[in-house]
mmCIF file of all heavy atoms in Angstrom:
data_model
loop_
_atom_site.group_PDB
_atom_site.id
_atom_site.type_symbol
_atom_site.label_atom_id
_atom_site.label_comp_id
_atom_site.label_asym_id
_atom_site.label_seq_id
_atom_site.Cartn_x
_atom_site.Cartn_y
_atom_site.Cartn_z
ATOM 1 N N ASP A 1067 -13.295 106.255 114.113
ATOM 2 C CA ASP A 1067 -14.273 105.216 113.808
ATOM 3 C C ASP A 1067 -13.988 103.989 114.662
ATOM 4 O O ASP A 1067 -13.228 103.096 114.274
ATOM 5 C CB ASP A 1067 -14.198 104.850 112.318
ATOM 6 C CG ASP A 1067 -15.336 103.933 111.894
ATOM 7 O OD1 ASP A 1067 -16.048 103.437 112.778
ATOM 8 O OD2 ASP A 1067 -15.505 103.709 110.682
ATOM 9 N N PRO A 1068 -14.612 103.883 115.856
ATOM 10 C CA PRO A 1068 -14.336 102.740 116.740
ATOM 11 C C PRO A 1068 -14.760 101.399 116.116
ATOM 12 O O PRO A 1068 -14.155 100.375 116.396
ATOM 13 C CB PRO A 1068 -15.159 103.055 117.990
ATOM 14 C CG PRO A 1068 -16.160 104.080 117.573
ATOM 15 C CD PRO A 1068 -15.530 104.846 116.467
ATOM 16 N N LEU A 1069 -15.812 101.401 115.284
ATOM 17 C CA LEU A 1069 -16.209 100.156 114.644
ATOM 18 C C LEU A 1069 -15.107 99.616 113.732
ATOM 19 O O LEU A 1069 -14.869 98.409 113.668
ATOM 20 C CB LEU A 1069 -17.509 100.354 113.863
ATOM 21 C CG LEU A 1069 -18.766 100.623 114.698
ATOM 22 C CD1 LEU A 1069 -19.971 100.878 113.786
ATOM 23 C CD2 LEU A 1069 -19.050 99.453 115.636
ATOM 24 N N MET A 1070 -14.429 100.535 113.013
ATOM 25 C CA MET A 1070 -13.308 100.114 112.169
ATOM 26 C C MET A 1070 -12.171 99.559 113.027
ATOM 27 O O MET A 1070 -11.541 98.555 112.679
ATOM 28 C CB MET A 1070 -12.824 101.294 111.331
ATOM 29 C CG MET A 1070 -11.669 100.957 110.398
ATOM 30 S SD MET A 1070 -12.115 99.743 109.141
ATOM 31 C CE MET A 1070 -13.193 100.743 108.108
ATOM 32 N N ASN A 1071 -11.918 100.201 114.150
ATOM 33 C CA ASN A 1071 -10.879 99.700 115.066
ATOM 34 C C ASN A 1071 -11.190 98.299 115.542
ATOM 35 O O ASN A 1071 -10.322 97.410 115.590
ATOM 36 C CB ASN A 1071 -10.760 100.628 116.293
ATOM 37 C CG ASN A 1071 -10.050 101.922 115.973
ATOM 38 O OD1 ASN A 1071 -9.224 101.978 115.066
ATOM 39 N ND2 ASN A 1071 -10.378 102.976 116.708
ATOM 40 N N ILE A 1072 -12.457 98.064 115.916
ATOM 41 C CA ILE A 1072 -12.861 96.747 116.407
ATOM 42 C C ILE A 1072 -12.684 95.711 115.307
ATOM 43 O O ILE A 1072 -12.168 94.602 115.550
ATOM 44 C CB ILE A 1072 -14.327 96.802 116.895
ATOM 45 C CG1 ILE A 1072 -14.404 97.625 118.188
ATOM 46 C CG2 ILE A 1072 -14.869 95.387 117.133
ATOM 47 C CD1 ILE A 1072 -15.820 97.845 118.677
ATOM 48 N N ALA A 1073 -13.098 96.055 114.088
ATOM 49 C CA ALA A 1073 -12.981 95.099 112.978
ATOM 50 C C ALA A 1073 -11.525 94.758 112.673
ATOM 51 O O ALA A 1073 -11.164 93.583 112.475
ATOM 52 C CB ALA A 1073 -13.657 95.677 111.725
ATOM 53 N N ILE A 1074 -10.649 95.780 112.673
ATOM 54 C CA ILE A 1074 -9.227 95.548 112.379
ATOM 55 C C ILE A 1074 -8.607 94.665 113.458
ATOM 56 O O ILE A 1074 -7.895 93.689 113.169
ATOM 57 C CB ILE A 1074 -8.473 96.896 112.270
ATOM 58 C CG1 ILE A 1074 -8.917 97.637 110.999
ATOM 59 C CG2 ILE A 1074 -6.968 96.681 112.274
ATOM 60 C CD1 ILE A 1074 -8.367 99.047 110.918
ATOM 61 N N ALA A 1075 -8.861 95.006 114.722
ATOM 62 C CA ALA A 1075 -8.267 94.208 115.816
ATOM 63 C C ALA A 1075 -8.803 92.782 115.814
ATOM 64 O O ALA A 1075 -8.063 91.826 116.099
ATOM 65 C CB ALA A 1075 -8.546 94.874 117.158
ATOM 66 N N ALA A 1076 -10.100 92.604 115.493
ATOM 67 C CA ALA A 1076 -10.663 91.262 115.445
ATOM 68 C C ALA A 1076 -9.995 90.421 114.373
ATOM 69 O O ALA A 1076 -9.671 89.258 114.582
ATOM 70 C CB ALA A 1076 -12.172 91.340 115.197
ATOM 71 N N LEU A 1077 -9.768 91.012 113.191
ATOM 72 C CA LEU A 1077 -9.106 90.285 112.110
ATOM 73 C C LEU A 1077 -7.656 89.959 112.465
ATOM 74 O O LEU A 1077 -7.159 88.860 112.162
ATOM 75 C CB LEU A 1077 -9.172 91.097 110.810
ATOM 76 C CG LEU A 1077 -10.570 91.255 110.192
ATOM 77 C CD1 LEU A 1077 -10.531 92.212 109.015
ATOM 78 C CD2 LEU A 1077 -11.125 89.900 109.754
ATOM 79 N N LEU A 1078 -6.968 90.910 113.105
ATOM 80 C CA LEU A 1078 -5.575 90.657 113.523
ATOM 81 C C LEU A 1078 -5.522 89.527 114.564
ATOM 82 O O LEU A 1078 -4.616 88.683 114.520
ATOM 83 C CB LEU A 1078 -4.951 91.931 114.086
ATOM 84 C CG LEU A 1078 -4.620 93.030 113.092
ATOM 85 C CD1 LEU A 1078 -4.136 94.284 113.831
ATOM 86 C CD2 LEU A 1078 -3.549 92.565 112.097
ATOM 87 N N ALA A 1105 -8.951 105.128 120.920
ATOM 88 C CA ALA A 1105 -8.754 104.187 119.798
ATOM 89 C C ALA A 1105 -8.129 102.892 120.291
ATOM 90 O O ALA A 1105 -8.490 101.798 119.842
ATOM 91 C CB ALA A 1105 -7.893 104.823 118.725
ATOM 92 N N LEU A 1107 -8.527 101.566 123.234
ATOM 93 C CA LEU A 1107 -9.567 100.807 123.928
ATOM 94 C C LEU A 1107 -10.486 100.105 122.927
ATOM 95 O O LEU A 1107 -10.904 98.968 123.156
ATOM 96 C CB LEU A 1107 -10.383 101.725 124.840
ATOM 97 C CG LEU A 1107 -9.607 102.484 125.928
ATOM 98 C CD1 LEU A 1107 -10.582 103.180 126.890
ATOM 99 C CD2 LEU A 1107 -8.669 101.578 126.698
ATOM 100 N N ALA A 1108 -10.790 100.771 121.822
ATOM 101 C CA ALA A 1108 -11.613 100.132 120.777
ATOM 102 C C ALA A 1108 -10.877 98.928 120.190
ATOM 103 O O ALA A 1108 -11.485 97.894 119.902
ATOM 104 C CB ALA A 1108 -11.958 101.139 119.692
ATOM 105 N N LEU A 1109 -9.572 99.059 119.986
ATOM 106 C CA LEU A 1109 -8.794 97.931 119.483
ATOM 107 C C LEU A 1109 -8.786 96.771 120.472
ATOM 108 O O LEU A 1109 -8.825 95.599 120.071
ATOM 109 C CB LEU A 1109 -7.354 98.384 119.188
ATOM 110 C CG LEU A 1109 -7.185 99.295 117.962
ATOM 111 C CD1 LEU A 1109 -5.784 99.915 117.944
ATOM 112 C CD2 LEU A 1109 -7.427 98.528 116.678
ATOM 113 N N VAL A 1110 -8.767 97.086 121.752
ATOM 114 C CA VAL A 1110 -8.845 96.037 122.771
ATOM 115 C C VAL A 1110 -10.177 95.309 122.683
ATOM 116 O O VAL A 1110 -10.252 94.067 122.797
ATOM 117 C CB VAL A 1110 -8.638 96.633 124.186
ATOM 118 C CG1 VAL A 1110 -8.983 95.606 125.252
ATOM 119 C CG2 VAL A 1110 -7.206 97.102 124.357
ATOM 120 N N LEU A 1111 -11.247 96.062 122.474
ATOM 121 C CA LEU A 1111 -12.559 95.429 122.289
ATOM 122 C C LEU A 1111 -12.527 94.472 121.098
ATOM 123 O O LEU A 1111 -13.050 93.348 121.170
ATOM 124 C CB LEU A 1111 -13.649 96.486 122.072
ATOM 125 C CG LEU A 1111 -13.986 97.403 123.246
ATOM 126 C CD1 LEU A 1111 -15.051 98.420 122.813
ATOM 127 C CD2 LEU A 1111 -14.474 96.614 124.444
ATOM 128 N N GLY A 1112 -11.905 94.917 120.005
ATOM 129 C CA GLY A 1112 -11.807 94.059 118.822
ATOM 130 C C GLY A 1112 -10.997 92.816 119.083
ATOM 131 O O GLY A 1112 -11.333 91.721 118.587
ATOM 132 N N ALA A 1113 -9.910 92.946 119.855
ATOM 133 C CA ALA A 1113 -9.091 91.761 120.172
ATOM 134 C C ALA A 1113 -9.892 90.750 120.987
ATOM 135 O O ALA A 1113 -9.786 89.539 120.775
ATOM 136 C CB ALA A 1113 -7.849 92.203 120.946
ATOM 137 N N LEU A 1115 -13.205 90.411 120.897
ATOM 138 C CA LEU A 1115 -14.200 89.824 120.013
ATOM 139 C C LEU A 1115 -13.570 88.841 119.033
ATOM 140 O O LEU A 1115 -14.128 87.776 118.739
ATOM 141 C CB LEU A 1115 -14.942 90.926 119.261
ATOM 142 C CG LEU A 1115 -16.184 90.530 118.468
ATOM 143 C CD1 LEU A 1115 -17.253 89.974 119.411
ATOM 144 C CD2 LEU A 1115 -16.728 91.727 117.698
ATOM 145 N N GLY A 1116 -12.383 89.186 118.522
ATOM 146 C CA GLY A 1116 -11.725 88.341 117.526
ATOM 147 C C GLY A 1116 -11.216 87.030 118.064
ATOM 148 O O GLY A 1116 -11.025 86.072 117.297
ATOM 149 N N CYS A 1146 -19.008 94.701 123.827
ATOM 150 C CA CYS A 1146 -18.494 95.697 122.872
ATOM 151 C C CYS A 1146 -19.553 96.745 122.563
ATOM 152 O O CYS A 1146 -19.274 97.951 122.561
ATOM 153 C CB CYS A 1146 -18.044 95.028 121.581
ATOM 154 S SG CYS A 1146 -16.541 94.028 121.741
ATOM 155 N N ALA A 1147 -20.785 96.295 122.307
ATOM 156 C CA ALA A 1147 -21.860 97.227 121.969
ATOM 157 C C ALA A 1147 -22.138 98.192 123.132
ATOM 158 O O ALA A 1147 -22.420 99.379 122.916
ATOM 159 C CB ALA A 1147 -23.135 96.450 121.616
ATOM 160 N N ILE A 1150 -18.860 100.803 123.429
ATOM 161 C CA ILE A 1150 -18.494 101.722 122.338
ATOM 162 C C ILE A 1150 -18.945 103.168 122.601
ATOM 163 O O ILE A 1150 -18.145 104.108 122.465
ATOM 164 C CB ILE A 1150 -19.049 101.212 120.996
ATOM 165 C CG1 ILE A 1150 -18.239 100.005 120.526
ATOM 166 C CG2 ILE A 1150 -18.984 102.303 119.931
ATOM 167 C CD1 ILE A 1150 -18.814 99.321 119.296
ATOM 168 N N LEU A 1153 -16.547 105.055 125.265
ATOM 169 C CA LEU A 1153 -15.083 104.890 125.256
ATOM 170 C C LEU A 1153 -14.351 106.173 125.689
ATOM 171 O O LEU A 1153 -13.406 106.091 126.487
ATOM 172 C CB LEU A 1153 -14.619 104.439 123.872
ATOM 173 C CG LEU A 1153 -14.882 102.955 123.534
ATOM 174 C CD1 LEU A 1153 -14.401 102.632 122.132
ATOM 175 C CD2 LEU A 1153 -14.249 102.024 124.551
#
Side-chain angles (χ1 to χ4, degrees):
D1067 189 349
L1069 291 177
M1070 181 64 71
N1071 284 333
I1072 290 174
I1074 290 172
L1077 291 173
L1078 288 174
L1107 301 189
L1109 288 168
V1110 169
L1111 292 178
L1115 190 62
C1146 290
I1150 287 173
L1153 285 179

